[in-house]
Amino acid sequence: IAHRLRDWFRLHKLLRSTLTLHAIGRTSVAVSEDVAVPFSAQHLGRAYVVLPSQLIPHREDFRIALRHEIEHHRRRDTLWALGLEWLICGLYINPSVYLWRNTILQLQELACDEALINRMRISKQAYGSCLLRVAEMALERRFMCSGTTCMIPSSESNNSHSFLRRRINMFAQHERSTAKRAA
């Protein structure tokens, strides 16, 4: 619980230091120089999408990252992330809870990727380029995403490179399945 409270205060401090670009109702889109990875969060009854300021010069990547994080809110992934964090507080001794959380978070990322490619008709090349750019920024600075949904999962798992590879491979498989349907 102490770790989760510490993360909550870090998130609170980070969200207070962001520059809000747009706010509609209970949803805010903000940029920050303190983050290297785009993320979505629910905090004090508000939905936040925070994007790194390094993405601003890359207009297409900024747009893709924004849509990806909004898709997390649309799918209620941020509420799942909060629920999983509280579940870990109650079952912190059980290692399967951590495995379950990581699996659910990865499935959420893959579902958002597929939704953006299918429904929003974002090109696979542009989306892959955005993923690689964000991964490069994440390598420069570590970023914790506890209780949030991130475009690149947190570095607590040692296999973040293999998950990025899995996400990019999904594009190729998606193309093959679309070609099979057309045939």
Side-chain angles (χ1 to χ4, degrees):
I1 293 175
H3 288 288
R4 301 302 169 232
L5 286 174
R6 183 197 66 202
D7 290 345
W8 186 87
F9 282 113
R10 281 184 185 171
L11 180 63
H12 182 74
K13 182 180 175 184
L14 177 73
L15 291 175
R16 288 184 62 205
S17 70
T18 61
L19 174 65
T20 302
L21 295 179
H22 195 67
I24 297 177
R26 294 184 176 271
T27 304
S28 295
V29 175
V31 294
S32 175
E33 292 183 3
D34 299 330
V35 298
V37 177
F39 70 92
S40 301
Q42 288 283 339
H43 187 69
L44 299 177
R46 290 194 60 82
Y48 289 92
V49 171
V50 179
L51 301 166
S53 60
Q54 294 90 347
L55 272 181
I56 292 173
H58 309 283
R59 187 176 185 156
E60 183 69 16
D61 292 342
F62 187 87
R63 186 179 64 85
I64 291 171
L66 177 63
R67 286 183 174 185
H68 178 96
E69 298 306 328
I70 288 173
E71 185 67 24
H72 279 300
H73 284 299
R74 187 175 291 137
R75 294 175 171 268
R76 307 275 190 244
D77 292 346
T78 51
L79 296 175
W80 273 95
L82 284 172
L84 290 170
E85 292 300 320
W86 284 109
L87 184 66
I88 285 175
C89 287
L91 302 170
Y92 63 92
I93 295 176
N94 189 345
S96 62
V97 174
Y98 297 95
L99 178 64
W100 190 51
R101 177 189 64 179
N102 289 341
T103 301
I104 287 175
L105 294 177
Q106 287 182 357
L107 289 174
Q108 288 174 343
E109 290 299 323
L110 292 172
C112 279
D113 293 346
E114 190 171 359
L116 289 178
I117 291 170
N118 283 340
R119 191 170 32 124
M120 296 188 185
R121 308 240 190 272
I122 295 174
S123 78
K124 295 175 195 93
Q125 292 79 13
Y127 198 80
S129 169
C130 178
L131 282 177
L132 290 175
R133 186 175 317 280
V134 170
E136 288 171 356
M137 289 188 307
L139 287 175
E140 293 172 9
R141 294 191 281 175
R142 285 182 63 147
F143 179 71
M144 181 189 290
C145 298
S146 180
T148 63
T149 57
C150 292
M151 198 164 170
I152 303 292
S154 65
S155 57
E156 28 181 272
S157 64
N158 293 331
N159 61 354
S160 61
H161 289 94
S162 63
F163 182 64
L164 180 62
R165 187 176 301 123
R166 181 179 171 193
R167 289 178 75 180
I168 292 173
N169 285 339
M170 183 198 70
F171 302 146
Q173 290 176 354
H174 172 61
E175 187 174 303
R176 284 188 217 125
S177 66
T178 305
K180 285 180 185 176
R181 266 189 257 137

